[in-house]
């Protein structure tokens, strides 16, 4: 089995760099260094949707940064084991839709606080236990759709932290025993 050629990976990313301002919807499944090369210092003024799957442990603890020119980005989907907001420097407040897979329960509170303009939020594979820290409630005035995949015992810690005046749809998957149970709610004003 041959190892991937790092130069070939760089050449692949370099081929897309001249087109970066025209990219509207970007999906990357790659090591963090490749993703960083394309999204950090390029003109991403056309980018609205970003989906990334980081297939390594990051770059020695260095945060992944997106270019300041990504002022139109509204939708973000991230798959990375041990997701942490401080490991990604993105324009959280401007996002309207976020999907995150594999984050800790306590990191959810940071997501709520930083992504307060969301209309849709999906958090999958929430792991760990509530740390018991009392946090201020977070108002998410535009959130209409919430999807959570969490251990049943810790759902209260999440609910006690949120004020969701416009919530219309909620879907929850709970681990009960050794199987996942799904529960959905449609809300009306």
């Amino acid at each position: 089995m041959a190892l991937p050629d790092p130069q070939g990976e760089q050449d692949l990313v370099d081929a897309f760099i001249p087109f970066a301002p025209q990219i509207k919807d970007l999906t990357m499944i790659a090591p963090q260094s490749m993703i960083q090369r394309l999204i950090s210092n390029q003109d991403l003024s056309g980018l609205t949707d970003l989906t990334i799957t980081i297939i390594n442990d990051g770059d020695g603890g260095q945060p992944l940064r997106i270019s300041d020119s990504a002022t139109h980005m509204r939708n973000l989907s991230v798959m990375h084991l041990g997701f942490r907001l401080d490991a990604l420097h993105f324009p959280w407040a401007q996002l309207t839709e976020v999907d995150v897979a594999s984050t800790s329960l306590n990191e959810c509170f940071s997501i709520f606080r930083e992504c307060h303009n969301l209309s849709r939020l999906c958090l999958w594979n929430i792991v760990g236990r509530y740390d018991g820290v009392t946090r201020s409630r977070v108002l998410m005035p535009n959130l209409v759709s919430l999807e959570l995949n969490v251990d049943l015992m810790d759902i209260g810690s999440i609910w006690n932290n949120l004020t969701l005046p416009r919530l219309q749809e909620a879907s929850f998957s709970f681990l009960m025993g050794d199987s996942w149970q799904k529960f959905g709610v449609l809300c009306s004003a």
Side-chain angles (χ1 to χ4, degrees):
M1 180 167 122
L3 293 173
D5 174 20
Q7 184 60 46
E9 291 175 355
Q10 286 185 13
D11 291 345
L12 179 64
V13 172
D14 287 347
F16 285 97
I17 288 175
F19 304 101
Q22 299 165 11
I23 296 173
K24 181 179 178 183
D25 187 344
L26 177 62
T27 299
M28 287 188 77
I29 302 170
Q32 181 173 323
S33 59
M34 281 184 67
I35 296 169
Q36 181 74 48
R37 187 168 170 83
L38 186 57
I39 70 169
S40 67
N41 295 318
Q42 309 310 321
D43 176 358
L44 296 175
S45 55
L47 187 66
T48 60
D49 301 84
L50 177 61
T51 300
I52 56 174
T53 300
I54 302 170
I55 60 171
N56 64 351
D57 290 334
D59 288 344
Q62 293 298 314
L64 179 61
R65 297 180 187 280
I66 192 162
S67 170
D68 290 338
S69 67
T71 58
H72 293 101
M73 191 171 83
R74 297 296 180 261
N75 304 320
L76 175 66
S77 181
V78 178
M79 172 65 154
H80 184 235
L81 293 176
F83 171 88
R84 293 183 350 263
L85 246 64
D86 64 352
L88 300 168
H89 288 250
F90 286 12
W92 301 111
Q94 76 185 34
L95 298 176
T96 58
E97 295 188 17
V98 168
D99 289 276
V100 171
S102 193
T103 190
S104 75
L105 175 75
N106 297 304
E107 187 66 19
C108 293
F109 303 114
S110 297
I111 294 169
F112 302 152
R113 203 173 38 255
E114 296 297 321
C115 302
H116 54 271
N117 287 317
L118 296 179
S119 60
R120 191 183 68 74
L121 175 61
C122 180
L123 300 174
W124 284 94
N125 193 26
I126 300 169
V127 296
R129 293 280 175 228
Y130 177 54
D131 60 11
V133 173
T134 302
R135 294 170 175 88
S136 300
R137 288 183 70 83
V138 174
L139 172 65
M140 297 183 83
N142 303 316
L143 195 73
V144 295
S145 178
L146 176 64
E147 192 169 346
L148 300 174
N149 176 263
V150 66
D151 188 316
L152 182 59
M153 295 172 34
D154 290 320
I155 193 70
S157 61
I158 290 175
W159 278 124
N160 293 335
N161 191 254
L162 292 172
T163 301
L164 308 171
R166 295 189 60 210
L167 189 66
Q168 296 174 12
E169 299 175 352
S171 177
F172 308 102
S173 298
F174 302 105
L175 183 60
M176 297 177 72
D178 56 357
S179 65
W180 285 97
Q181 306 297 315
K182 189 161 183 142
F183 176 68
V185 178
L186 287 175
C187 308
S188 60

